């Protein structure tokens, strides 16, 4: 079966790692109809927006996209394309597997857990009031009166909404993900001891949803303890279900534990489709240099193959990437020293992965 997939090369190092990933995906034997769409700074002059409507229409039509990173222009007034995509397509779940492949610069070699981050609410919902503005002053006055607690008049405000419906769908997603991926436990992450009406609500809804998913184990952890536990006893954790901010922090903690951003894949998933992309950004200083590691996007490609129910190809690609991490050649970021002369470039890693796939890893 052929798969129609929207392909967004992005900018910065995006086009190089996307090309490398497409080569690796095609070498699995799965057939794709790539619907190539440009987004980001380089289309702003032509369309007046970094995310033209026809790009969104393509993703809506194909329901699956593979995306390179896109630079967020500073000071132009345009919101981040990455955030806009999540909002427009209601990608409420961000999935970030943290897995240690032997040979990578892992903190320890037994890491295998998945961070599921709620994408649509919490402190990142973008409801903010700048210090000193009339709206902020008004809100400070109203909140101080309502809460019967003074808020310093020179404060800025960021609002943290967490809803029953938003919590219910992300926790249910975590259980469904655990079930589909043969995982045994969901750990809900929160700070309910301090934020009773947001994190506390998230936890209460989580416990309720757990009652309808009794085939999967459920527990909760306070976020600060969670971070320590992940470093000391990561094997005890499997699927972590987090509100937005904690998910953001824990997924980067996880990326550091497996040797950095070069091996950290991701997926943004909604009711109507999914976009697969690396956790890292566009690394503009390395653009066009055939330097950065394409494996984070290739591993996102593995997630995409699983999403497309191409399990055999997904496993073959993951095995090929793992073999190259183990035996080389690899890019500078997987070396002990950044100036290691044996480090190769983006396209040489793609060659090695393709060769492994052809040889059956
Ligand atoms: P970044 O992830 O682009 O780069 C940080 C550093 O990590 C780089 O200097 C590089 O040393 C290293 N790095 C990143 N990817 C690597 C790879 N594949 N191989 C080897 N090393 C790698 O983060 P940044 O510099 O904060 O952001 C640059 C731009 O990317 C910003 O405009 C930001 O908004 C954007 N961004 C986009 C996305 C996305 O498209 N989803 C995500 C994060 C950041």
């Amino acid at each position: 079966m052929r798969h129609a997939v929207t392909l967004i090369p992005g900018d910065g190092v995006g086009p190089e790692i996307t090309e490398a990933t497409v080569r690796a995906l095609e070498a699995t034997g799965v057939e794709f109809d790539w619907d190539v769409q440009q987004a980001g700074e380089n289309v702003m002059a032509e369309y007046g927006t970094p995310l033209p409507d026809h790009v969104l229409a393509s993703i809506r039509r194909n329901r699956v996209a593979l995306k390179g990173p896109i630079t967020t222009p500073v000071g132009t007034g345009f919101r981040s394309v990455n955030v806009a995509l999540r909002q427009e397509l209601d990608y409420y779940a961000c999935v970030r597997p943290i897995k240690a492949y032997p040979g990578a610069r892992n903190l320890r070699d037994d890491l295998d857990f998945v961070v599921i981050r709620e994408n649509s609410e919490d402190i990142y919902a973008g409801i903010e009031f700048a210090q000193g503005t009339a709206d902020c002053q008004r809100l400070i006055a109203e909140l101080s009166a309502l809460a019967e607690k003074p808020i310093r008049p020179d404060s800025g405000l960021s609002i943290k909404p967490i809803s029953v419906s938003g919590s219910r769908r992300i926790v249910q997603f975590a259980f469904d993900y655990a079930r589909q991926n043969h995982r045994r436990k969901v750990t809900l992450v929160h700070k309910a001891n301090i934020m009773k009406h947001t994190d506390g609500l998230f936890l209460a809804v989580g416990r309720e949803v757990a009652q309808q998913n009794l085939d999967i184990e459920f527990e909760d952890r306070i976020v600060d303890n969670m971070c320590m536990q992940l470093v000391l006893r990561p094997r005890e954790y499997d699927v972590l279900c987090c509100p937005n901010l904690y998910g953001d922090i824990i997924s980067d903690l996880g990326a550091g534990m497996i040797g950095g951003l070069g091996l950290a894949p991701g997926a943004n998933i909604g009711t109507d489709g999914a976009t697969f992309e690396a956790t890292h950004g566009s690394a503009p200083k390395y653009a066009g240099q055939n330097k950065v590691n394409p494996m984070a996007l290739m591993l996102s490609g593995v997630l995409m193959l699983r999403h497309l129910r191409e399990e055999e190809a997904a496993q073959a690609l993951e095995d090929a990437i793992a073999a190259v991490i183990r035996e080389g050649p690899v890019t500078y970021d997987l070396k002990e020293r950044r100036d290691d002369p044996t480090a190769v470039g983006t396209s040489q890693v793609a060659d090695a992965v393709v060769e492994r796939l052809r040889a059956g890893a």
Side-chain angles (χ1 to χ4, degrees):
M1 178 187 168
R2 297 181 71 85
H3 299 283
V5 174
T6 299
L7 182 69
I8 303 174
D11 52 35
V13 296
E16 300 160 59
I17 59 172
T18 308
E19 202 244 355
T21 301
V22 165
R23 280 174 56 206
L25 282 165
E26 290 185 341
T28 65
V30 173
E31 292 182 315
F32 296 95
D33 289 321
W34 300 112
D35 183 359
V36 181
Q37 299 287 342
Q38 304 296 339
E41 244 175 333
N42 43 5
V43 301
M44 259 157 59
E46 195 175 344
Y47 298 104
T49 164
L51 184 59
D53 282 345
H54 58 262
V55 178
L56 284 169
S58 163
I59 306 177
R60 287 201 174 98
R61 191 167 58 243
N62 295 321
R63 298 172 53 89
V64 181
L66 180 70
K67 174 183 161 296
I70 293 177
T71 308
T72 302
V74 180
T76 59
F78 283 105
R79 62 182 172 159
S80 151
V81 170
N82 311 300
V83 174
L85 265 177
R86 286 176 202 167
Q87 289 173 351
E88 293 285 343
L89 300 169
D90 196 20
Y91 287 148
Y92 64 91
C94 178
V95 177
R96 290 189 171 162
I98 305 294
K99 187 166 171 180
Y101 292 97
R105 296 168 62 230
N106 302 315
L107 193 61
R108 29 193 299 167
D109 283 334
D110 57 354
L111 300 168
D112 185 10
F113 59 88
V114 181
V115 181
I116 294 186
R117 167 186 173 193
E118 206 288 329
N119 247 349
S120 69
E121 42 186 28
D122 189 3
I123 205 93
Y124 272 33
I127 309 168
E128 297 206 291
F129 297 88
Q131 184 269 323
T133 59
D135 283 351
C136 192
Q137 293 309 117
R138 218 173 80 205
L139 206 50
I140 286 174
E142 284 192 24
L143 287 174
S144 296
L146 274 174
E148 295 176 5
K149 273 185 201 162
I151 298 173
R152 292 196 183 109
D154 56 347
S155 301
L157 296 174
S158 296
I159 307 290
K160 170 172 165 142
I162 291 193
S163 68
V164 170
S165 50
S167 302
R168 191 170 284 142
R169 71 175 177 174
I170 193 69
V171 180
Q172 185 56 52
F173 179 93
F175 277 108
D176 292 342
Y177 180 91
R179 198 169 291 120
Q180 278 156 19
N181 291 278
H182 314 291
R183 296 202 172 247
R184 64 182 203 294
K185 181 163 82 173
V186 170
T187 305
L188 182 142
V189 183
H190 63 87
K191 187 88 181 168
N193 50 330
I194 303 295
M195 282 166 277
K196 298 183 172 52
H197 304 301
T198 47
D199 289 30
L201 180 151
F202 189 65
L203 175 59
V205 171
R207 286 184 171 143
E208 207 183 287
V209 175
Q211 285 305 310
Q212 289 133 34
N213 292 274
L214 293 170
D215 54 323
I216 308 276
E217 221 182 299
F218 177 79
E219 63 178 11
D220 69 276
R221 289 284 179 276
I222 293 176
V223 61
D224 34 355
N225 179 32
M226 184 77 252
C227 291
M228 186 185 68
Q229 295 290 332
L230 280 179
V231 175
L232 291 180
R233 276 186 282 279
R235 287 184 66 156
E236 289 176 21
Y237 299 94
D238 204 3
V239 174
L240 311 183
C241 181
C242 309
N244 202 323
L245 176 64
Y246 310 146
D248 188 26
I249 296 168
I250 288 179
S251 51
D252 265 37
L253 170 70
M257 292 167 82
I258 55 163
L261 288 170
L263 292 178
N268 290 304
I269 301 181
T271 32
D272 240 5
T275 288
F276 297 82
E277 63 177 333
T279 298
H280 65 76
S282 57
K285 69 178 174 197
Y286 293 133
Q289 293 179 27
N290 188 37
K291 177 149 176 105
V292 301
N293 192 349
M295 286 173 166
L297 190 61
M298 287 182 180
L299 289 166
S300 309
V302 170
L303 299 180
M304 184 180 85
L305 287 169
R306 294 214 160 96
H307 179 84
L308 294 170
R309 309 224 180 281
E310 296 283 2
E311 179 54 40
E312 218 174 291
Q315 197 56 52
L317 178 54
E318 187 178 6
D319 291 347
I321 296 168
V324 175
I325 295 171
R326 203 171 54 236
E327 289 159 32
V330 293
T331 43
Y332 76 97
D333 57 303
L334 298 190
K335 300 285 190 185
E336 205 60 50
R337 288 170 50 104
R338 293 194 149 233
D339 57 356
D340 187 325
T342 64
V344 299
T346 312
S347 64
Q348 287 73 31
V349 170
D351 293 342
V353 170
V354 167
E355 211 172 288
R356 286 281 178 171
L357 273 166
R358 299 223 163 104

